Amino acid sequence: MGTGTSKDADGVAHDESDNRDGSLDQAGGQLYVSLKMENYKLNGEIIPHVYGSVPLVGSWDPCKALSMERESASMWELSFVVPPNHETLDFKFLLKPKYGSAPCVIEEGAHRVLSRGALQGESRLAVFRNGEETLEHKIFIKADQVSPFDLAASWRAYQENLRPSTVRGIPDVSINSAPMAGAENGSSASLELDLEHYLVPAPSTSANSGMVYAANNAENPRFTITDAAWYNSYSFKDASISSDRPPTYKGIEVVIPDPSKAYPGTGMVDSKSVGTFSPLQRQDSHRGLFVDRGVGSPRLPKSPSSSTFTFDLKHEAATKNLMPAAAGAVAAAAVADQMLGPKEDKHLAIVLVGLPARGKTFTAAKLTRYLRWLGHNTKHFNVGKYRRIKHGTIQNADFFRGDNPEGVEARNEVAALAMEDMIAWMQEGGQVGIFDATNSTRERRNMLMKMAEGNCKIIFLETLCNDKRIIERNIRLKIQQSPDYSEQPDFEAGYEDFKSRLDNYEKVYEPVEEGSYIKMIDMVSGNGGQIQVNNISGYLPGRIVFFLVNMHLTPRPILLTRHGESRYNVRSRIGGDSLLSDTGEIYSKKLSNFVEKRLKSEKAASIWTSTLQRTILTAGPIVGFPKIQWRALDEINSGVCDGMTYEEIKRNMPEEYESRKKDKLRYRYPRGESYLDVIQRLEPVIIELERQRAPVVVISHQAVLRALYAYFADRPLKEIPHIEMPLHTIIEIQMGVTGVQEKRYKLMD
C-alpha cells in the first residue's frame, strides 16, 4: 500500500515508511496494521490470538483476546485500523485451544510496541513455553497509512479477490437431506427443555395486533359524542350542494351532497379527472423538483451557467407533505405524479365495498400497514367506528334495513363525516386514505365521489366471497371481537342478529360498475380466486393491485432471527463478510435444534438467508428444508465505512458520524445505503412472505430485520433504526385471519 518492508535475520518484517519525522498526521488518513504469524508448527486445535491496549481490546484480559484468521496453509493474520490520534499500540500474542477449557499460553518477553507506525525495540520471534515444550513462530508486522476511501477499496478487493468466501460454492437454492458431516451436536448446543422455556416477553410495541379488533386501530373521529348534537336536527335529504367549494368544517358541520342532484337525470357521477393543475405544472418548465438523496450523501452540484437545477423554497413547502418518506422507485413515482398528475391524483382514496363478513377491515388494515411501510402517509378510516361513537354499540339488525329511512340517513351521515375527516387530513398532508365501510349501494358511492371531486382520486376496492365456510368463520369472529356485540352475553342471540343484518345488506347490495375499481373475488381463501381491475393506472395503484394479488389469510408462522455472533460482532465492526465466532457456531446448532422442534409438524417450510457467509453458516446445521439465498436480505451497505467501528467513524469521519446520529432513517453511508434504501429493496421479500403459505425462517442482519419486523408490527418509519433486534433471539410472527401475533424465544444470553 505504498510503503516497503524489510526482514531482519529472525524473519520479522517491520515498517520502512517515509514518515521519518515520526508523524503520521501530516498526510491524514488512518494507520492500517497487519499482524501475521507463521503456523507451520500449529495444528488446527490451537488458534493464535492478539490482545493489548486500545484500539485492539482495551484490556489485558486474555479472555478478551482477538482471534487471528487463517490466511493460508502456513500463515495466520489479523488486521485492524488505528485512529490517527492513537500514537502508541502495545500488544502480545497468545495461543488458545479451539475447544475445551485448557489455559492459554502467552508469549514470552516484553510487550510489543508500535508507535506512530514504527515498531519499537528489537524485532523478535514469538516464543511460547508450555511446560517443557517451547514453540517459536516468525512474526510479520506491517503498518501503512491509507485514506478511508482507499482502505474501503482495498478491503473490498481483498474480500472479493484475495480471500473468497468459504461458502460461495453453495448454490442460491439448496436442500440438505442429511446432517452435515462432522457436525457437532454436543450438550452445549442442544435444547433439552420444552420450547416454551425459552419464551421472553415481547416489547410493548410488538406485533400483537391479533389481540385487538382491527377496526379499533383505525383513525379516531375528529368529533366526540358530545359534539354530535347537531345531528339531531340535521336532515340528509335536505342537504344542499356547494359545487364551487370542497366540503369544509364549520365547527363540526359537514355538507353532504345529494347524489341525485349531482348529474340530474342520470343518478351517476362522472368519475373522470377534472383536469385541474397543481402549482408545479404552472411553474417554469426549466425548474426541477428537489429529490432527497439521503442525509449525508452527495448532492447534485449546480452549474454556474445552468438554470436547470433551481430550487424554489415556496414550492418545497407546498409539496413537502405530498412526498413519501421513501427512496428508489417509490420516490421516483412520487416525483412523476407531482410533475404530471392532476391535483386530485396527488391524494388517493381506497374505498372498500362489500357485504359484512367479507374481510374488508382485515384487507384495509393490511393495505394500510403495507403503504405506511413503503413510506406513504396512510390512514385507515372505519365508518363503523364513527357510527358506534355517534349512535352507540347497541344497534339491532333493523337499524341496517334498506327500507328504514332513519337508519339509512344516520349511516350516510357518519359516512359523510368520515369522508370529510379523510379529506381534511389529506389537505393537511395525508397521501392515501383507506375508507372502510360496506358502501353497498350506488347512491352511497356517488355521494363519496361527489365529495372527492377536486380533492382526491377514488379507487373502489370490492371484496366478494362465495365460500360459505369462510363467511361462517368471519361471522363468528365478528361476534367474538366486534364492539357491536361486546355487551351481548348470548353468543347465539348475537349470531342471529348479525345474520339478519347481513340479510338486510344483501337485499340492497349493488356491485361496483362505476369509476376506477378493483374486484377481489374469492381471494381470501388462498386457493386461487381472481382479481378484476378497471381504469387503474399509475405506480401506486399498480403496487396496490400487486400486493392484493399476493395477500391471503392462510395461518402460518414466520421466524425472524439474526445470524449467530460473528467475529466482527466481537470486534464491534460493521459490515464485512466475517465468519462466525465460537459463540455464533453454538447458536447455529441451537437454532437447528429449535427449528427441528418448532416445525416438526409442518409439511413444508423454507429457510431464507442473505448471501453473506455469517447467515449461510448459521443456517448450515439446519437439515431437511430448502435454503434460499436472497441478496435483498444482505446487511445495509455501509460503503466506505465497511469494516470500521463506530468509534473509528466518530474519530475519522466526524461529519458523517453526526449526520447519521441526527437522522438514522435517511442517512446514507458514503457509497452505501440508508434505511430507506433497505426498505425499497426488501419490498419483494415482503410480497413473497405475504404470498407464502408455509412457514419461513428468515436468517438475516440487524438493519434488515428491523425493517422487516417494522412491517409486521406496523411501526412508524422513524422508529425502524431504533428497534431492538438482539442476537441469538427468535421472533415468531404468526399471520392469520385474526391479524398478527408475536412470540420471542431467547436461546442464548
Side-chain angles (χ1 to χ4, degrees):
M1 295 187 183
T3 62
T5 60
S6 63
K7 295 183 180 179
D8 57 20
D10 292 328
V12 178
H14 55 86
D15 183 74
E16 287 187 350
S17 66
D18 294 330
N19 297 297
R20 304 189 185 280
D21 60 354
S23 175
L24 281 169
D25 296 332
Q26 290 182 351
Q30 298 171 288
L31 184 64
Y32 177 84
V33 178
S34 173
L35 307 178
K36 297 184 180 182
M37 175 188 291
E38 268 190 347
N39 73 336
Y40 64 92
K41 293 183 179 180
L42 291 178
N43 58 43
E45 302 299 314
I46 302 296
I47 308 296
H49 288 63
V50 180
Y51 75 131
S53 65
V54 175
L56 270 178
V57 175
S59 168
W60 285 98
D61 182 357
C63 296
K64 297 182 179 180
L66 297 179
S67 170
M68 302 182 76
E69 297 185 7
R70 189 185 296 276
E71 181 186 55
S72 65
S74 60
M75 193 72 66
W76 293 85
E77 191 264 351
L78 175 67
S79 58
F80 50 90
V81 177
V82 180
N85 59 351
H86 194 89
E87 298 183 354
T88 303
L89 172 71
D90 54 335
F91 59 94
K92 296 185 78 171
F93 294 91
L94 59 86
L95 303 178
K96 294 178 69 174
K98 184 175 182 179
Y99 304 107
S101 58
C104 58
V105 181
I106 301 175
E107 74 164 309
E108 300 284 319
H111 298 173
R112 299 177 185 268
V113 179
L114 195 67
S115 180
R116 297 180 179 271
L119 187 64
Q120 305 299 307
E122 296 182 357
S123 301
R124 67 181 193 270
L125 298 172
V127 179
F128 301 91
R129 289 191 173 88
N130 185 16
E132 298 181 355
E133 183 182 10
T134 300
L135 298 176
E136 295 182 343
H137 297 273
K138 290 183 179 180
I139 301 297
F140 301 88
I141 300 175
K142 183 177 181 179
D144 291 305
Q145 188 180 7
V146 295
S147 71
F149 287 86
D150 290 339
L151 179 63
S154 299
W155 169 257
R156 284 193 294 272
Y158 175 68
Q159 288 291 94
E160 296 172 3
N161 301 316
L162 301 181
R163 182 178 168 274
S165 167
T166 59
V167 296
R168 286 293 180 258
I170 297 178
D172 288 343
V173 180
S174 61
I175 182 168
N176 295 332
S177 57
M180 298 172 58
E184 298 182 14
N185 295 309
S187 59
S188 62
S190 63
L191 299 177
E192 299 297 340
L193 299 174
D194 187 88
L195 295 185
E196 299 299 312
H197 173 78
Y198 297 93
L199 275 173
V200 294
S204 58
T205 52
S206 67
N208 288 315
S209 67
M211 303 298 183
V212 181
Y213 184 55
N216 290 347
N217 292 325
E219 182 69 4
N220 288 319
R222 299 190 179 198
F223 73 94
T224 65
I225 189 64
T226 57
D227 296 326
W230 64 276
Y231 274 118
N232 296 331
S233 59
Y234 188 87
S235 172
F236 173 68
K237 295 179 181 179
D238 296 334
S240 60
I241 301 176
S242 178
S243 59
D244 58 344
R245 66 176 179 86
T248 57
Y249 275 104
K250 190 174 183 181
I252 60 164
E253 181 181 1
V254 60
V255 178
I256 309 175
D258 187 341
S260 64
K261 298 179 182 179
Y263 291 88
T266 66
M268 296 292 292
V269 174
D270 188 356
S271 63
K272 294 182 180 179
S273 301
V274 296
T276 57
F277 293 90
S278 68
L280 176 62
Q281 293 171 286
R282 292 194 290 267
Q283 289 184 350
D284 189 281
S285 60
H286 292 290
R287 293 188 183 273
L289 186 66
F290 177 79
V291 182
D292 185 6
R293 290 177 172 78
V295 178
S297 61
R299 305 282 184 178
L300 267 178
K302 176 187 174 185
S303 170
S305 61
S306 172
S307 62
T308 302
F309 289 99
T310 58
F311 180 54
D312 190 335
L313 292 177
K314 293 182 180 179
H315 171 65
E316 181 197 23
T319 61
K320 180 178 180 182
N321 289 334
L322 301 180
M323 293 292 292
V330 172
V335 171
D337 289 345
Q338 291 293 322
M339 296 176 67
L340 302 176
K343 177 183 177 182
E344 62 267 30
D345 282 8
K346 294 173 177 57
H347 306 288
L348 181 62
I350 305 297
V351 177
L352 275 294
V353 178
L355 292 168
R358 263 57 174 183
K360 295 186 303 300
T361 298
F362 175 84
T363 301
K366 293 200 74 168
L367 187 56
T368 300
R369 188 179 70 201
Y370 171 69
L371 294 176
R372 282 175 179 167
W373 183 79
L374 282 182
H376 299 281
N377 189 0
T378 305
K379 284 190 176 181
H380 175 194
F381 294 82
N382 180 270
V383 176
K385 191 171 186 178
Y386 281 69
R387 170 179 54 79
R388 283 184 283 273
I389 291 177
K390 169 63 175 71
H391 299 287
T393 59
I394 304 176
Q395 296 293 335
N396 62 27
D398 289 340
F399 181 82
F400 301 93
R401 282 169 39 202
D403 58 356
N404 177 2
E406 291 79 12
V408 172
E409 179 180 343
R411 287 183 282 123
N412 280 332
E413 286 171 347
V414 291
L417 184 56
M419 187 69 174
E420 188 78 6
D421 273 2
M422 187 172 73
I423 291 173
W425 166 74
M426 288 178 173
Q427 292 172 346
E428 296 166 359
Q431 295 167 358
V432 184
I434 312 295
F435 191 83
D436 180 14
T438 56
N439 300 314
S440 55
T441 65
R442 191 172 292 111
E443 181 184 33
R444 163 73 72 82
R445 297 193 292 269
N446 287 343
M447 180 192 80
L448 299 177
M449 285 195 287
K450 183 60 182 178
M451 295 182 72
E453 280 188 1
N455 295 299
C456 62
K457 177 181 179 179
I458 280 186
I459 294 178
F460 293 112
L461 174 56
E462 185 176 16
T463 60
L464 301 171
C465 180
N466 300 305
D467 190 324
K468 294 183 179 180
R469 292 185 305 103
I470 293 178
I471 296 173
E472 180 69 18
R473 179 193 64 188
N474 290 348
I475 291 175
R476 293 188 173 276
L477 285 173
K478 188 88 170 179
I479 305 304
Q480 294 171 359
Q481 297 182 345
S482 173
D484 285 350
Y485 296 97
S486 61
E487 299 181 21
Q488 173 56 269
D490 187 343
F491 179 88
E492 291 303 322
Y495 177 85
E496 292 302 324
D497 180 80
F498 189 83
K499 290 278 286 185
S500 298
R501 180 195 302 192
L502 185 55
D503 290 339
N504 290 332
Y505 273 109
E506 288 177 341
K507 292 175 183 178
V508 298
Y509 188 80
E510 297 174 295
V512 175
E513 296 176 350
E514 66 273 17
S516 300
Y517 62 77
I518 304 168
K519 286 179 182 278
M520 298 176 62
I521 305 173
D522 292 327
M523 290 291 296
V524 294
S525 65
N527 297 317
Q530 59 179 301
I531 281 190
Q532 298 177 2
V533 298
N534 180 67
N535 194 23
I536 299 296
S537 62
Y539 177 83
L540 186 54
R543 300 311 302 168
I544 291 173
V545 171
F546 187 59
F547 175 77
L548 295 174
V549 167
N550 290 282
M551 190 188 73
H552 60 89
L553 303 180
T554 306
R556 75 278 190 198
I558 295 173
L559 307 179
L560 307 177
T561 183
R562 289 175 66 183
H563 55 80
E565 181 188 65
S566 71
R567 296 183 181 181
Y568 261 32
N569 290 142
V570 175
R571 298 165 65 182
S572 299
R573 299 196 177 277
I574 63 175
D577 192 16
S578 64
L579 300 170
L580 297 178
S581 69
D582 293 344
T583 301
E585 291 179 357
I586 294 174
Y587 177 70
S588 70
K589 298 180 179 68
K590 284 182 175 288
L591 177 63
S592 173
N593 201 327
F594 178 91
V595 170
E596 179 184 359
K597 290 187 176 183
R598 175 62 185 84
L599 303 182
K600 63 182 179 180
S601 61
E602 300 290 345
K603 295 180 180 179
S606 57
I607 314 298
W608 296 2
T609 72
S610 73
T611 64
L612 300 176
Q613 60 180 339
R614 54 189 181 274
T615 64
I616 299 173
L617 293 173
T618 301
I622 302 174
V623 298
F625 298 109
K627 298 174 184 176
I628 304 169
Q629 297 179 25
W630 287 69
R631 186 168 294 277
L633 290 174
D634 285 2
E635 179 61 296
I636 187 171
N637 184 351
S638 50
V640 301
C641 300
D642 191 78
M644 300 174 67
T645 67
Y646 288 119
E647 185 64 28
E648 290 170 354
I649 296 173
K650 182 178 181 180
R651 292 178 180 177
N652 302 299
M653 308 172 74
E655 292 183 358
E656 293 296 330
Y657 183 85
E658 290 300 321
S659 294
R660 178 180 177 274
K661 185 177 179 181
K662 290 178 182 177
D663 190 349
K664 289 182 68 177
L665 177 68
R666 292 172 177 81
Y667 170 78
R668 180 176 289 132
Y669 287 99
R671 303 181 188 177
E673 288 183 305
S674 69
Y675 269 92
L676 291 179
D677 295 325
V678 172
I679 290 172
Q680 290 307 304
R681 67 169 157 95
L682 282 175
E683 187 190 11
V685 178
I686 289 295
I687 294 295
E688 188 58 27
L689 285 173
E690 287 286 356
R691 194 185 70 84
Q692 291 285 317
R693 289 172 171 78
V696 178
V697 180
V698 180
I699 304 174
S700 189
H701 309 267
Q702 180 168 249
V704 171
L705 291 177
R706 281 171 170 168
L708 290 179
Y709 176 79
Y711 168 77
F712 294 111
D714 197 15
R715 298 279 288 274
L717 289 180
K718 63 182 180 181
E719 294 183 9
I720 290 180
H722 310 285
I723 293 175
E724 183 181 1
M725 197 57 59
L727 283 170
H728 306 155
T729 301
I730 299 166
I731 301 176
E732 178 178 324
I733 304 294
Q734 186 71 39
M735 299 178 64
V737 66
T738 59
V740 177
Q741 299 181 21
E742 172 188 342
K743 288 183 179 180
R744 293 199 175 202
Y745 302 88
K746 190 171 184 61
L747 303 190
M748 296 174 59
D749 292 328

